[in-house]
Amino acid sequence: MRAIKLRVVLILTTILVLCLIKDGEAGIGVNWGTLSDHRMSAETVVDLLKRNRISKVKLFDADHQIVNALRGAPIELMLGIPNDMLGTISSSTSAADSWVRDNLTLHFISKPPPHIRYVAVGNEPFLSSYAGQYQSYVVPALVNLQQSLVKAHLSGSVKLVVPCNADAYESTVPSQGAFRTELTQIMTQLASFLNSNGSPFVVNIYPFLSLYGNSDFPQDYAFFGGTNHPVIDGPNVYYNAFDGNYDTLVAALNRIGYGQMPIIIGEVGWPTDGAVAANLTAARAFNQGLINHVLSNKGTPLRPGSPPLDVYLFGLLDEGAKSTLPGNFERHWGIFSFDGQAKYGLNLGLGNNVLKNARNVRYLASRWCVANPSKDLSSVANHIKLACTVADCTTLAYGSSCNGIGLKGNVSYAFNSYYQVQKQDAMSCDFDGLGMITFLDPSVGQCRFLVGVTDSGTSTWCGREIIIRSAIFVGIVAILL
């Protein structure tokens, strides 16, 4: 009897969710990453989303605290399953059942339920730098999870997707797009699975990375204002990298027999710091140009009048604890800073002309840790290394917003970053007497000396992350000194 009641509840919940969320309703969403040493409460971020009328959110895991905070909110969710879970789920139906039960069923029987629409199975699992590590797990994991969704009576409301990096396909011109040779078979299987279950193809497109990684890449081609270097592809002309990349995927899908499959842009954006081309002006130009382009419904040469189903900006907030192995810019993708303050004017096309800041953010006291001006800083190197191993110092690197503030400024920035991560513990500003606490904001121009927040979630850095940061910031220390 209890099982029958549960089944009835799940069926009614599915109907409710389908009524609340219209299939095929295109929109602008955001990626909500949480790799930060200064996390606002989930409730504060959800309020930020509501204030800005953002109705689509993509997560990289299935954080229960976040999902619970989104219960009843008019926000469509894409949950994520990390790559390191794919092996277990692909080989165990019970593991798939457990994941669905713990991360979907339990939420759907709550009142009110969250609007979970998609589950992202892995994140860019075919990335070439993974050297095939996750490749064989993807389709079996999808099959097991789909069976679990069917058993849980959720297959009608929750769709499985696989966010792919744009390096999964390649071509010199868009019309000749094809998946990498070693991926052709598995991509055909993936597209077949997605098509048979009513799921879209999800792809991450980053023109910034093309510009960052190639000195010959024409800068104006990365944006949407026209270019002196268009790509001529037979009768089609491409004036921006986004359209060219998108149509390369369309051609690749067409080559394996799925050219009409709906496409979602899982990640796209532009960072504001950490590299020469990463700044507020460029980020605003790119993101606003992208939004205007998508919402114009112009489409692309291979899909005229048919823009992506949805577009998820990367990202919502800066993430100061992300690995910087790809570049220092990795921690600065947010349209909002870590504390929910808008970095620049942006019209998301969702009814607000400008972004609205987070409300009720609880900060630590207005005090900072800086270099003691009366002390000799000749022995400061190891202290900077410690501070920048634990805290974020990427804005001090070449091309970044704090690069030109001088030696004492660099030392002060590093000291303060560490001090704030340590919740302003007085001892964390000692540095063998080289640091001192001040109540005067030492920020200079666009170089902001942050003050931490008090309603942080659990710190996300761990031993392995510290080792990675240490290796990266040895180079920064050498530059600073």
Side-chain angles (χ1 to χ4, degrees):
M1 179 63 70
R2 186 172 181 275
I4 294 175
K5 288 182 178 180
L6 178 60
R7 180 175 179 178
V8 170
V9 170
L10 288 173
I11 291 173
L12 291 175
T13 300
T14 297
I15 294 172
L16 173 63
V17 171
L18 288 173
C19 290
L20 290 170
I21 302 174
K22 298 178 182 178
D23 284 333
E25 187 178 78
I28 303 297
V30 295
N31 285 268
W32 178 357
T34 58
L35 294 176
S36 176
D37 295 315
H38 303 281
R39 288 179 61 176
M40 294 182 292
S41 69
E43 291 74 18
T44 299
V45 180
V46 170
D47 180 66
L48 175 66
L49 294 168
K50 291 178 179 178
R51 294 196 76 207
N52 288 282
R53 302 185 182 182
I54 296 171
S55 62
K56 297 175 185 291
V57 169
K58 178 171 168 282
L59 304 177
F60 294 93
D61 52 25
D63 187 312
H64 280 218
Q65 185 179 17
I66 291 177
V67 177
N68 286 332
L70 285 161
R71 284 182 180 178
I75 296 174
E76 181 182 283
L77 265 177
M78 181 186 297
L79 302 185
I81 299 178
N83 290 334
D84 58 12
M85 293 181 64
L86 297 182
T88 300
I89 293 176
S90 70
S91 61
S92 170
T93 55
S94 61
D97 290 343
S98 295
W99 193 94
V100 169
R101 180 184 65 248
D102 295 342
N103 298 288
L104 295 177
T105 304
L106 291 180
H107 289 304
F108 274 117
I109 62 177
S110 65
K111 294 182 180 180
H115 299 164
I116 302 171
R117 180 57 176 145
Y118 299 107
V119 172
V121 182
N123 184 47
E124 300 183 337
F126 307 116
L127 195 66
S128 58
S129 60
Y130 289 146
Q133 181 179 355
Y134 306 107
Q135 188 170 309
S136 62
Y137 300 145
V138 176
V139 173
L142 286 169
V143 171
N144 285 346
L145 287 166
Q146 184 64 29
Q147 292 174 350
S148 299
L149 289 176
V150 170
K151 285 186 282 186
H153 310 289
L154 292 173
S155 60
S157 60
V158 178
K159 299 299 179 182
L160 302 177
V161 296
V162 179
C164 295
N165 187 278
D167 81 342
Y169 48 89
E170 53 197 4
S171 178
T172 54
V173 292
S175 65
Q176 299 302 309
F179 291 109
R180 297 198 322 258
T181 302
E182 71 274 19
L183 293 179
T184 301
Q185 182 178 2
I186 195 169
M187 282 299 180
T188 303
Q189 296 171 343
L190 172 60
S192 175
F193 175 91
L194 297 173
N195 184 66
S196 63
N197 289 288
S199 296
F201 193 98
V202 178
V203 64
N204 301 338
I205 296 177
Y206 282 106
F208 169 81
L209 295 181
S210 298
L211 178 63
Y212 178 78
N214 183 359
S215 59
D216 295 327
F217 191 89
Q219 182 164 333
D220 57 0
Y221 187 61
F223 296 89
F224 296 87
T227 177
N228 296 320
H229 307 84
V231 171
I232 311 298
D233 185 9
N236 298 325
V237 181
Y238 291 87
Y239 294 98
N240 65 79
F242 178 84
D243 283 357
N245 198 311
Y246 186 87
D247 273 4
T248 304
L249 171 60
V250 172
L253 288 170
N254 186 62
R255 194 175 295 274
I256 61 174
Y258 295 93
Q260 299 306 311
M261 177 170 287
I263 296 172
I264 283 178
I265 306 301
E267 297 178 27
V268 61
W270 200 278
T272 58
D273 215 333
V276 174
N279 55 68
L280 296 173
T281 301
R284 183 191 182 282
F286 178 84
N287 283 330
Q288 194 64 70
L290 169 73
I291 292 167
N292 295 344
H293 181 60
V294 170
L295 296 184
S296 72
N297 292 321
K298 180 181 179 181
T300 62
L302 293 187
R303 284 195 176 179
S306 182
L309 186 61
D310 290 316
V311 174
Y312 291 85
L313 295 178
F314 190 85
L316 178 63
L317 304 164
D318 279 352
E319 297 178 82
K322 286 190 70 177
S323 169
T324 57
L325 290 179
N328 290 319
F329 54 81
E330 277 298 314
R331 297 178 178 175
H332 304 282
W333 290 97
I335 57 176
F336 294 92
S337 54
F338 76 94
D339 54 352
Q341 306 307 296
K343 295 183 184 178
Y344 48 84
L346 187 66
N347 185 347
L348 296 176
L350 303 173
N352 289 342
N353 291 327
V354 294
L355 297 178
K356 294 184 177 181
N357 295 332
R359 297 184 293 191
N360 304 317
V361 179
R362 295 186 296 166
Y363 293 93
L364 299 172
S366 295
R367 55 184 177 227
W368 298 261
C369 178
V370 297
N372 190 325
S374 65
K375 298 291 184 178
D376 177 12
L377 298 179
S378 60
S379 62
V380 78
N382 287 334
H383 295 298
I384 292 182
K385 180 179 178 181
L386 167 65
C388 293
T389 295
V390 174
D392 177 30
C393 297
T394 53
T395 57
L396 297 176
Y398 176 74
S400 302
S401 60
C402 297
N403 180 235
I405 61 175
L407 174 61
K408 287 188 177 180
N410 291 335
V411 174
S412 293
Y413 188 93
F415 283 5
N416 183 65
S417 297
Y418 180 81
Y419 175 65
Q420 302 298 336
V421 167
Q422 299 301 322
K423 304 300 182 188
Q424 297 185 352
D425 183 331
M427 292 301 297
S428 68
C429 186
D430 182 61
F431 297 103
D432 288 338
L434 298 181
M436 60 174 283
I437 295 171
T438 179
F439 296 93
L440 298 176
D441 186 352
S443 298
V444 181
Q446 292 187 347
C447 179
R448 176 189 176 195
F449 281 59
L450 64 85
V451 171
V453 297
T454 63
D455 52 353
S456 300
T458 302
S459 179
T460 56
W461 49 269
C462 59
R464 185 181 65 158
E465 183 71 22
I466 289 177
I467 293 172
I468 292 174
R469 292 190 191 190
S470 179
I472 294 166
F473 284 108
V474 167
I476 289 184
V477 172
I479 293 173
L480 300 183
L481 301 178

